Amino acid sequence: MKYVIVIEDGASDYPIEEIDGKTPLKIADKPVLDKIAREGKTGLIQNVPESLPPGSDVANMSIFGYDPLVYYTGRGPLEAASMGVETKEGDVVFRCNTITERDGLMASSNAGHISSEEAAELMEALNEYFNDKYPDFKGKFYPGVSYRHLFVYNNKENAEKLAKLDMVPPHDFVGETIADKLEFDSFADEVKAIMLESKEALKDHPVNQKRIEEGKEPCNMVWFWGQGTMPDMPKMEDVYGLKGAVITGVDLIKGLGVCSGCTNLDVPGATAFFDTDYNAKGEYAVNALKDNDIVFVHVEAPDEAGHAKNLKEKVKGIESIDKYILAPLVEVLEKEYKDFKIAVLPDHPTPIDVGTHTRDPVPIAIYSSKDEADDVLVYDEDSVKDGALGELVGCNLLKLLLE
């Protein structure tokens, strides 16, 4: 049996007045996804437990078959696993965004989607600045992709408290006052001070001077969030008996691949943004079926469009997934594999009108070579409510597929 799970990150939405109260999923041209719904079974799935934040880390951990209430320790540690960052006792791993601060406000949560090359120079500059000024500095910056980086801070005395510190994701308060989000307990004073002092370290850096000259947002500060200690997750093959592969452009999802024992496939052109190479992802997914029992295909573009409140790009992302990923996958599954199941779902909604994640259940469709279809004809937030699957709990998805 072959299993495929396609994750359309943030694709689910609320009714939008601009398109007559419809959603991007309702207006997108997605014939293959509608076929999966029409010839399969549908329903809703809740990937985020009530007590946890509706982040992609929590939601995708559920989809990978691990209960976040048991295994979730934070977003940063998962990204560290992807990047091969080694940690030791007392280390707390923070997600570190390159941001643009202007007049005390969060002007951009991603510094205008700064390039990885530019950001790497800035991460190096931060390490040099803090190590030179503070010889016993207990932190280190690690460059990642675009605006997504890591900061590892060693504090054995307060590691557990820091791991549970309520730090707001920067994309949740764009345009709002930064100081309002820095009211931490005293044990986090040093973490707060590092973020604030990063402005001094970055303000005159040549990378930022050049970006300003080119009319781009500078990275004049960093923001920490999504922190935690490394999780202890059993391997997917041990729990579910499945050899898995993961296709994504996002370090967080790659981290889940590492922690679950799956193979991360590096796809050329997978950028985790609007310009990601959908066709390459589709080709790699088809090829991955040959040597794996289960293939996870994650696409970030709809989520990025939701954060940017960009309706056009969200619809385009949904349509591109359909044409370049779902179409070739369904074709090869039907032609070459006798037994298969393919599930399609978002991890969480990222509504255009909200601009960030919500915890609402999301639509899911599962097309199987063996199961009969229900009566749902198209895939969207409302149609699937009448589906035979009812409302599922995210971490039970793999168990359901294996039944």
Side-chain angles (χ1 to χ4, degrees), residues 44 47 132 144 150 169 187 203 235 237 334 396:
L44 292 168
N47 296 319
D132 288 346
L150 295 178
F187 65 83
K203 66 178 182 179
K235 303 306 180 185
E237 199 157 6
E334 291 180 332
N396 293 332

Side-chain angles (χ1 to χ4, degrees), residues 192-366:
K192 173 182 175 179
I194 293 168
M195 285 193 283
L196 291 173
E197 193 165 348
S198 70
K199 292 193 292 183
E200 180 65 26
L202 295 174
K203 66 178 182 179
D204 295 323
H205 194 281
V207 165
N208 282 325
Q209 296 301 316
K210 183 179 179 182
R211 286 182 66 81
I212 292 171
E213 291 171 3
E214 294 174 348
K216 300 176 181 178
E217 295 279 27
C219 164
N220 56 12
M221 185 176 173
V222 293
W223 186 263
F224 302 152
W225 62 288
Q227 77 283 2
T229 54
M230 296 303 294
D232 183 17
M233 293 167 54
K235 303 306 180 185
M236 184 168 295
E237 199 157 6
D238 294 336
V239 178
Y240 297 103
L242 298 173
K243 180 183 179 183
V246 178
I247 294 172
T248 182
V250 176
D251 280 333
L252 160 64
I253 310 301
K254 291 180 181 179
L256 281 169
V258 172
C259 291
S260 64
C262 293
T263 301
N264 285 311
L265 302 179
D266 292 324
V267 180
T271 65
F273 196 53
F274 303 151
D275 60 350
T276 197
D277 191 334
Y278 295 93
N279 188 60
K281 281 192 171 183
E283 290 179 356
Y284 271 69
V286 167
N287 289 332
L289 286 169
K290 300 173 184 177
D291 300 318
N292 295 279
D293 304 309
I294 185 167
V295 178
F296 295 88
V297 187
H298 170 269
V299 185
E300 178 78 356
D303 181 64
E304 291 287 349
H307 288 305
K309 300 188 175 183
N310 190 325
L311 174 60
K312 180 180 178 181
E313 287 292 348
K314 190 162 191 179
V315 172
K316 180 181 176 182
I318 293 168
E319 293 180 342
S320 296
I321 294 170
D322 200 82
K323 182 176 181 180
Y324 297 109
I325 297 176
L326 291 179
L329 276 170
V330 170
E331 180 180 10
V332 77
L333 285 169
E334 291 180 332
K335 287 184 177 180
E336 298 183 19
Y337 297 98
K338 181 179 179 181
D339 297 325
F340 68 83
K341 291 183 180 180
I342 179 169
V344 186
L345 70 161
D347 48 354
H348 52 67
T350 309
I352 294 287
D353 289 343
V354 178
T356 191
H357 305 165
T358 65
R359 64 172 61 256
D360 307 75
V362 294
I364 181 171
I366 301 175

Side-chain angles (χ1 to χ4, degrees), residues 60-108:
N60 282 281
M61 181 176 281
S62 289
I63 295 171
F64 271 65
Y66 297 87
D67 187 348
L69 293 174
V70 177
Y71 298 106
Y72 178 71
T73 62
R75 182 185 187 115
L78 295 173
E79 298 191 2
S82 167
M83 294 165 60
V85 174
E86 295 185 4
T87 60
K88 58 184 179 297
E89 183 183 357
D91 279 350
V92 181
V93 184
F94 293 81
R95 166 69 177 274
C96 171
N97 271 46
T98 52
I99 69 168
T100 303
E101 180 269 347
R102 186 178 299 115
D103 299 327
L105 303 180
M106 176 70 69
S108 171

